[in-house]
Amino acid sequence: MNRSRIADLSLLLVAMMWGCTFLIVQSAVRVLPPLAFNSIRFTGAALLLALITAVFYRQEWKKLSLRMVLHALLLGLLLFLGYGFQTMGLLYTTTSNTGFITGLSVVLVPFLSLALLKHAISRYTWFSAGLAAVGLYLLTFTGSTFSLNKGDGLILLCAAFFALQIVYTGIYAPRYPALPLAALQLAFVGLFSVLASLLVDGPAPLMHSGELLAKPEVLWAMLISIGPTSAFAFWIQTACQKYTTPSRVAIIYATEPVFAAVTGLLFGGETLGLSAALGCGCILAAMLMAELSPDPARTQAEG
């Protein structure tokens, strides 16, 4: 199995981790405000990756440079803005709209890849992205229709920033060792989240976070968020984008709501109607088409 195939499978594992832990994190942010939650989540993840690097890959810190720090700052800012606009948008729109519009990053990434990376995007990739978008709609709006709310513009900005983070990771990942770059990126997300939490929610949530972390549902969600779904997820993304393309990453990440739907079905007492099942099928078909089709940009990534 070549490196590109291993990278894609690893990214699928990331999407599965995010989707399968959605219910756990959702219950935690009802207790600890999202910005405070992200402050602890990303700061903890950055410290975990820094510790792993210091113990097992100490020589990689020797490659630290001002250019790497600045590029990690940009990646961290894009990721923070994605989460920030998503959080603000949720105040003014529905969860369904949020899930669908955020997922539209799968369509934005090929455009951005073409503009910023000059990647030749094959017709298979365009069709896969469109099919994934249709699948997201069917999965998200089961028994209802899409109607615009005043927060949808904020969610569209969220999708754009997530798409940019994927594309710029494709630019910077081949230049630097994955662990320090991922650790620095998450450290900046944590820093921005702390500042935003203090500005928006005041010092109280962070000051009392120790008491809230004593609650089992919050502590369990935080441990999962710091380790598997932040530190290891973004380490995997940074390492794998040396061997695959941003467009493929976006299509693979579109499977996250599929895993979330299956988790809700199995453990959350939710139901999966015909429309949602068809949507899951479209997303999985899009991923398989992107994975198995010849793509000139992928050839460049493998080389």
Side-chain angles (χ1 to χ4, degrees), residues 34-76:
L35 286 171
F37 183 88
N38 283 340
S39 301
I40 302 170
R41 169 188 179 181
F42 288 107
T43 301
L47 291 173
L48 177 58
L49 287 185
L51 179 63
I52 291 172
T53 309
V55 174
F56 298 105
Y57 303 94
R58 190 175 305 172
Q59 70 280 3
E60 292 195 355
W61 281 121
K62 297 178 182 178
K63 300 176 184 178
L64 187 67
S65 65
L66 178 60
R67 188 178 294 271
M68 184 198 294
V69 173
L70 292 175
H71 288 162
L73 172 61
L74 175 60
L75 293 176

Side-chain angles (χ1 to χ4, degrees), residues 48-210:
L48 177 58
L49 287 185
L51 179 63
I52 291 172
T53 309
V55 174
F56 298 105
Y57 303 94
R58 190 175 305 172
Q59 70 280 3
E60 292 195 355
W61 281 121
K62 297 178 182 178
K63 300 176 184 178
L64 187 67
S65 65
L66 178 60
R67 188 178 294 271
M68 184 198 294
V69 173
L70 292 175
H71 288 162
L73 172 61
L74 175 60
L75 293 176
L77 179 61
L78 293 172
L79 196 59
F80 164 75
L81 288 172
Y83 281 109
F85 279 109
Q86 187 180 64
T87 302
M88 288 189 292
L90 273 169
L91 297 174
Y92 306 105
T93 190
T94 63
T95 303
S96 296
N97 281 23
T98 299
F100 174 64
I101 298 173
T102 301
L104 288 182
S105 58
V106 71
V107 179
L108 296 176
V109 167
F111 284 104
L112 294 170
S113 293
L114 188 62
L116 298 174
L117 295 176
K118 309 302 181 187
H119 275 179
I121 308 299
S122 74
R123 63 182 181 274
Y124 298 101
T125 299
W126 288 117
F127 186 77
S128 298
L131 185 60
V134 171
L136 285 166
Y137 179 86
L138 292 172
L139 178 58
T140 305
F141 298 102
T142 304
S144 62
T145 57
F146 178 68
S147 59
L148 290 172
N149 295 286
K150 63 180 182 179
D152 291 337
L154 297 173
I155 302 299
L156 187 58
L157 286 173
C158 151
F161 284 120
F162 281 150
L164 283 168
Q165 191 271 344
I166 291 173
V167 173
Y168 274 104
T169 299
I171 295 174
Y172 299 140
R175 302 183 187 180
Y176 308 110
L179 264 171
L181 183 62
L184 288 169
Q185 175 187 188
L186 297 183
F188 283 120
V189 179
L191 174 61
F192 292 137
S193 297
V194 168
L195 295 175
S197 179
L198 293 173
L199 184 65
V200 175
D201 300 321
L206 288 175
M207 288 178 62
H208 298 291
S209 60

